[in-house]
Amino acid sequence: MAEERRPAFVVVGKNERKVDGVALVTGKPKFAGDLDLPGTLCVKILHSPHAHARIVEIDASEAEGLPGVACVLTHQNTPLTRYTTAGQGYPEPSPYDARMFDTKVRFVGDRVAAVAAETEEIALEALKKIRVRYEELPAILSVDGALAAGAPIIHDEKDSPGIYDAAKNIAADVDIDVGDVAQGFAESDVIVETVCETQYAQHAPIEPHVVLTNLDEDGRLVIRSSTQVPFHVRRIVARVLDVPLHRIRVIKPRIGGGFGVKQEVLLEDLAALVTLRTGRPALVVLSRQEEFIASRTRHPMRIRVKLGARSDGALHALEMEVLSNTGAYGTHALTVLSNVGSKTLPIYNKAKNVHFFGKAVYTNLPVAGAYRGYGATQGYFALETAMDELADGLGMDPLKLRRRNAIRVGESSPIFEKLGEGREGVAQTVKSCGLERAIELGAARIGWEEKRGKRPRQGSRVRGVGMSIHMQGSGIPQIDMAAATVKMNEDGSFNLLIGATDLGTGSDTILAQIAAEILGVPVSKVIVTSSDTDVTPFDTGAYASSTTYVSGKAVERAALAVREQIVQVAAAMLADDGGNLDEARFVLKNERAVAPNGRGVTLAEICQRAMYQTGQFQIAATASFVPDESPPPFMASFAEVEVDTETGRVQVLEYVAAVDCGVAINPKMAEGQVEGSVANGIGFALTEEMLFSSKGRVRNPTLFDYKILGARDVPPIEVILVPSFEPTGPVGAKSVGEIGINGPIPTIANAIHDAVGIRLTKTPFTPERVLDALRARRPG
Amino acid sequence: MGLPSVKEFVRPGTLDEALELLRERGERAWPIGGGIDLVLFAPREVETVVDLGRLPLRYVRENEGRISIGAIATLREVLESPVVRDYLGGVIPEMLHQVASPLLRNLATIGGTLVSANPWSDVITLFLALGADVVLSDGKTRTIPLEKLYPARALRATILTEVRLPSSARESAAAFWKFSRTAFDVALLNCATFVRMVGGRCVEARVVAGGTPQLGARLPRAEACLVGSGLDDSSIERAAEAARESADVREDRRASADYRRELVLVGVKRSLHEARGRLAGGER
Amino acid sequence: MKISLTVNGAQRAFDVHPGDTLLEVLRREGYKGVKKGCGAGDCGACAVLLDGRAVNSCLVLAGKADGSEVLTIEGLSKDGALHPLQEAFLDEGAVQCGYCTPGMIIASLDLLTHHPDPNEEEIREGIAGNLCRCTGYTKELRAIQAAAEKMREARHG
């Protein structure tokens, strides 16, 4: 078993407090919006009132003349460079279809102009004084509309590279084949087919997007941003504003949640340009309403899954067709689309014949982007719904069907190689997989055997249980890169400098735990500095479940290199007392380096010697890591629900997520990642949905009417961390940031089916939709 | 930012002072209890905020079974008041536990809630069913049934000072039912029912549905099905059916009219069953 | 207009615009632990104790707080010692991004001050107005339970 390889850890596996925790619970000014810089201008954005229109004329003179207005930005006075707001590796796999300000607006909320003024009141007043004449164009408000013959073309400009087929409103297209799926279905005994649709949903981080810019004493541009991708921000802003990259410093302070919506260069260009034009600090903060209308959303999708199986339950053919709505711009269009298949299909690697294809299309609706789960969430809804239907068709326990077909240690899937992030993937063999055990533990915890199919009824309320299984990845192989620097101080403490971006996940802490483990010190002796492009080495950023695995590995390597230097010095110090010491057999523990003969010196003594006494040098190392694979975390999730057949209300009574993320470096934090993503997923399943008017305007751009779950709504969530050891991971770990969010939609849908026999194929499962489905089925 | 148009914030200590200010400043003055709606809706014409928070109207009292709640009492204070704890089986705290959040209940006043007349108001739906009266003052004091306060006419230079609930007669019961998307949410529909029995026969009934999405309103046809009945299953069923047919339900972004119609049926039925159970349980 | 507040035990006088909210005044005066998440009473990130009760400071006009006592998250730890709620939030892993944490702790403090021994349902209701997008609330519930226990012990000596 994999666990046997697991070494005894001292710091890893402990529930260390967050290294930034005390500052956070005492309300220290740690966030981008907490810094007061004298003379800061307030920046406000004028958003398009139309879903699709050309700007015929724009007159900002009156606004510019308003006392207190420092500058007004429009397409007339800003760079026209095409770029993508997607904060991805370079070159980005998203089309360059956006400009700071364009001559055309493509959704209600699109940028028309921006004002920088002395106060918020003046800025808002000035926005009203900008005269814009629009030529309204027919708007596309659905994916079918986008693909219809003669549909208006949303990106009719000629200078946007990377769009798959602009004339047909197709931002991205994917089509991959394994085996022969037609033949596969022909050879199948049971075939099921299902079509599932997911909604427009918003990340709703409690901290909105915030960017504060200023010029430092040397005239360099400093951008403090609530971003998940500081290095991508630097690169993209440099290009868009044509500023030398070395004149820009990006700092990510603490950020109040991201979930993907801050993997986007959404405001940095605006604040930066204001600062460059005026020489003054500039602050942009999105209002909650702007978060809904003008930031990013999850890609709504329609997904068709067709499964063919032999009568013994062996999956034989698997087809998945995706129609993804990327909204007005193609940010993450291709990669999210790819992930719908690449993060779902390998879990059923026994199917020899697979066809995955789909399109991401433009519409005149808000822009979809990265969102925790990144397409897998949508894909699993369809796949795991179809698996339940297949189990029905086979007359087989859904749990057994999944067990029979799920991937195991030592196995691979052709999908890994065929389908990557917007390009071909990387072949890999699964080296750790606790899925089987996760299914077993989760089933026991929810009471699967006792409860499944029993449909206990109390009055109008009926109960049921459902389950589904999932995988995600750990970073993007051969694309992501992270680097870390470890530097020793003469009291035996270490600076850990990492480009990695802690967006509240606790990555600063678990990366410190990795370093502390290897260096034999408590976490308190590791001083973490992260996400400052002037100070920390490069890291692609916090997305794609990359930080624990990719950044963690970089930290592990840097710490091991420093450990080697420490041991060399220690060996020299102890060798002075006679005898040769085998450096490979030194142990670092309790802030000491201990030789094989049991004698030791303190780390402080070692560093003092290296700094001040003999053979002086700085004990330090920088290491990088580019993964060759992306070991998937696995999850089996279970829910018990109660359906009120009179109101259609679905209540989740209990949710169980059994997760294999390799070694959990900080178990409470790993649980927290799962609990939080499950809670968000339950929101998708039951309440969260952006609604649109017939003109494409968001009807519920508030937390008053876009319902995320509160403490009274979230059911007890039981997270079971299934032990495993990932040999390629840092200290045996895999990533765990996203996987949890994939579970609730199919798990709850399957539980509803168990309770009342209806198949819900459109999220969210609002009481009204559930009641409609119950009524449609009757009499029956 | 807040309310840029506001030029003056005043906190009168007496009712007369407050009324005087409202008269003087006219439409540019806005009286507040907690002030929530003023901040949320930020009407541009408001120049003077008249904070009623210092008026001696912060109380929950009982007098011979009748309950008087001062307009400035917060929802939290009402919720925690021993005076309302057992009133009609505890229906008031039962409802208030479902209103908004503790943070908002600490701020919202009972008077502000009644005057703001948000259509989803749980308080108004229940208080209509309980037959509440409100005391208004424009210098002279008058008491009117809460029902007569709506449709909410602008209360020019008038302050709602108190709400009164009738003494809970023997053999009477009330219940409240709310349906919302999440627990911290406004009602997609709420329902409250009140019944008074004499010798096993219902002699008085009030059935109210709110958030339809209009403000709570009585449903006389449903009430008629109950009066004279023994509150048996079939009369409850008939009342619920009548409620469904007669409630003026509409569509908004939160629910369709058809769905609300179903909710009226379920809500009336469930709250009547609950009320009947409370009668049987021997509660007042 | 001038208002006078006792903020975290210190008497302070502030010059405010009569239309300012308490949230704006507090942040302007440096109490950055008071967060803005929605400005509409929907999220609870701006919660402070106003005369002992937790409220959404984004909905309180500053004039209304004149003469009142305000407690923000900055005033909770005394002489560098964390409050049991702060300790418990750290120990139970109830803090992720930390943006909702100040408001969540303030709401919990109101709850535990008035209900020293709440059950789970009461705790859930107590923080019902404080939205958290990171945690799923599980760890907060445990933290508040743990803090309640510590606070009861401290009270009974």
Side-chain angles (χ1 to χ4, degrees), chain A residues 618-637:
Chain A
Q618 167 70 59
I619 297 178
T622 296
S624 307
F625 182 64
V626 179
D628 277 324
E629 48 198 282
S630 178
F634 293 98
M635 173 174 75
S637 70

Side-chain angles (χ1 to χ4, degrees), chain A residues 17-18 25 33-34 36 202-203 255-256 288 371 504 668 671-673 675-676 688 704 709-711 714, chain C residues 27 32-33 35 37 42 73 82 86-87 90-92 95-97 99 124-125 127 133-137 139:
Chain A
R17 281 184 173 187
K18 275 172 81 84
V25 298
D34 292 345
D36 289 328
Q202 221 273 329
H203 312 63
I255 83 170
R288 181 55 59 185
Y371 196 150
K668 277 194 182 169
E671 288 165 13
Q673 284 303 300
E675 289 161 3
E688 296 183 30
F704 190 76
L709 302 185
V714 173
Chain C
R27 281 192 64 83
K32 304 291 189 187
K35 300 298 183 201
D42 296 323
I73 190 71
L82 296 181
Q86 293 169 315
E87 296 274 3
L90 290 178
D91 286 337
E92 296 299 328
V95 183
Q96 284 193 32
C97 81
Y99 198 80
R124 285 181 185 271
E125 185 178 343
I127 56 170
R133 197 59 157 165
C134 294
T135 65
Y137 308 100
K139 302 247 183 288

Side-chain angles (χ1 to χ4, degrees), chain A residues 261-320:
Chain A
V261 81
K262 293 173 181 170
Q263 193 198 336
E264 203 79 12
V265 185
L266 202 64
L267 302 172
E268 289 87 347
D269 57 324
L270 282 185
L273 189 55
V274 168
T275 290
L276 291 171
R277 291 253 165 105
T278 63
R280 293 174 58 179
L283 175 69
V284 199
V285 184
L286 286 193
S287 70
R288 181 55 59 185
Q289 172 158 336
E290 289 176 302
E291 280 294 322
F292 280 103
I293 67 163
S295 70
R296 296 293 178 257
T297 71
R298 185 179 289 280
H299 287 79
M301 291 188 191
R302 184 156 75 213
I303 302 178
R304 181 180 61 84
V305 168
K306 187 173 174 185
L307 301 176
R310 311 282 195 159
S311 56
D312 62 357
L315 269 177
H316 192 58
L318 210 167
E319 185 170 70
M320 187 183 263

